Amino acid sequence: MKFALINGNKMEAQPGLRGTCVYCQSDVIAYCGSEKVWHWKHKRKSLCDSWWENETEWHRTWKNYFPTEWQENIHSDSTTGKKHIADIKTDRGFVIEFQHSAIKSEEIRAREAFYKNMVWVVDGTRLKLDYPRFCKGSKEFNSWLESKYFRSPIWKDIFSTYFPEECFPKRWLSSLVPVYFDFQGISPFAQLDGKHDLLWCIFPGDIGGWAVVANLQRKDFIECSLTASSLLLAQDICSHIAKRNQQQRTKEKEQRELREWREKQRAEAFRQFMINPRRRR
Ligand SMILES: [Zn+2]
């Protein structure tokens, strides 16, 4: 963890320091080696938050864009009493989780259900194939016709794709909240090709199988998260997709019912014919 409590104050790890964990209150020691980012280490990690993942430089870079008091901020569920450490929880209660390690679909669902008002930022540089797959898959992107309803200058391009699984890891495709992929990692200007420096958001849900993907500048995402929330930023599009998805389902249901009704009529006519074939002449 980046922070521990010393005399009630949130402190970063410095050589020789000891403190208490903000979550489990057990003793922690500052780890200030050269291989990993400086952090606080538990004597017994088993007591701490099971959702916590070891931090990388990438996590730190992201967290540092936000005020200290928002970082590693504990979120509690008032009804169940459960609590977890959110990577970022803003003063308005919105959560941003930065995900580097592999994560199971069940845990994705569990965290979304727990935090509710949240978005994910996923490290798209963890696996070598992630970015090449995205580049190849994004060739199937179409300009989203309904993007005309969303004129926010924040979104650079809004696309629709029928093949989101060819761009993004499958486990993120059934998320109920926006997922932003960061393909730049921590080397900002290393391979700038116009796609790396943007964040790519896949929105929850689909419209008749078409997923919606949009991109924006990293600085705009941060700015929005600092001033309002990254969830609000995506809200209009999320609601629109949900509404269109509902319309699509209703339409499909009506077509199915019409088909069934016609089949029934045909079957009934055939049955009548079999009972009394002459009557039809
Ligand atoms: Zn702890």
Side-chain angles (χ1 to χ4, degrees):
M1 278 164 203
K2 184 180 170 188
F3 297 103
L5 295 175
I6 301 179
N7 299 327
N9 298 315
K10 235 171 151 181
M11 302 285 286
E12 289 192 45
Q14 292 287 334
L17 288 185
R18 284 166 184 273
T20 14
C21 172
V22 291
Y23 180 86
C24 65
Q25 276 88 45
S26 62
D27 292 344
V28 287
I29 309 163
Y31 176 92
C32 305
S34 53
E35 299 219 334
K36 291 180 185 167
V37 287
W38 287 11
H39 62 278
W40 292 97
K41 207 173 174 169
H42 288 73
K43 284 182 182 164
R44 275 200 299 161
K45 208 185 160 190
S46 58
L47 297 171
C48 205
D49 193 346
S50 58
W51 287 354
W52 189 256
E53 66 168 310
N54 284 333
E55 278 192 298
T56 59
E57 195 65 46
W58 178 80
H59 281 103
R60 283 295 166 85
T61 308
W62 267 107
K63 279 186 191 173
N64 288 338
Y65 290 128
F66 300 94
T68 306
E69 57 277 21
W70 293 7
Q71 301 179 28
E72 298 183 4
N73 201 349
I74 293 178
H75 179 77
S76 321
D77 185 319
S78 52
T79 36
T80 61
K82 278 188 186 164
K83 56 175 189 168
H84 286 288
I85 314 165
D87 285 332
I88 296 294
K89 184 176 153 191
T90 71
D91 51 357
R92 294 165 196 239
F94 291 103
V95 168
I96 308 174
E97 286 281 88
F98 301 109
Q99 190 63 32
H100 167 80
S101 316
I103 181 170
K104 286 188 177 152
S105 303
E106 300 85 66
E107 189 172 326
I108 296 177
R109 289 301 85 71
R111 289 207 216 175
E112 290 175 356
F114 180 74
Y115 292 124
K116 295 179 186 78
N117 295 320
M118 71 165 291
V119 298
W120 295 95
V121 176
V122 176
D123 187 355
T125 63
R126 189 177 69 88
L127 299 176
K128 261 191 184 158
L129 284 177
D130 281 348
Y131 187 64
R133 172 182 54 198
F134 171 74
C135 287
K136 193 164 167 244
S138 61
K139 289 188 180 138
E140 301 292 330
F141 284 178
N142 296 292
S143 193
W144 189 36
L145 295 176
E146 295 171 45
S147 67
K148 58 180 180 243
Y149 302 120
F150 307 97
R151 294 198 182 277
S152 161
I154 298 287
W155 302 110
K156 277 176 65 70
D157 310 287
I158 312 182
F159 302 100
S160 64
T161 176
Y162 203 70
F163 307 101
E165 68 283 0
E166 290 183 12
C167 290
F168 305 108
K170 230 179 188 165
R171 66 174 69 90
W172 294 106
L173 300 181
S174 41
S175 270
L176 300 174
V177 299
V179 184
Y180 294 84
F181 285 85
D182 171 16
F183 293 109
Q184 183 181 275
I186 51 165
S187 45
F189 306 107
Q191 298 163 289
L192 227 55
D193 65 356
K195 278 184 180 171
H196 267 98
D197 52 335
L198 297 169
L199 291 181
W200 291 81
C201 174
I202 178 151
F203 293 90
D206 63 84
I207 306 171
W210 290 83
V212 178
V213 177
N215 57 29
L216 78 170
Q217 300 273 356
R218 169 188 304 246
K219 64 172 176 53
D220 288 336
F221 173 85
I222 297 163
E223 180 69 23
C224 272
S225 309
L226 286 169
T227 51
S229 94
S230 5
L231 194 69
L232 282 180
L233 163 73
Q235 197 85 71
D236 289 356
I237 298 182
C238 290
S239 319
H240 183 82
I241 295 171
K243 196 178 88 192
R244 292 281 290 108
N245 183 296
Q246 192 54 45
Q247 287 171 345
Q248 188 71 23
R249 277 164 196 255
T250 311
K251 198 170 121 192
E252 281 166 7
K253 188 171 166 257
E254 284 168 2
Q255 284 171 342
R256 199 171 51 242
E257 284 170 358
L258 184 66
R259 226 170 22 241
E260 283 167 6
W261 180 79
R262 280 193 188 135
E263 270 161 28
K264 230 184 239 170
Q265 293 287 311
R266 227 172 279 141
E268 178 58 20
F270 182 72
R271 198 178 67 86
Q272 291 293 339
F273 175 76
M274 292 309 279
I275 295 169
N276 189 359
R278 281 186 190 170
R279 234 180 72 190
R280 300 275 301 215
R281 285 179 197 163

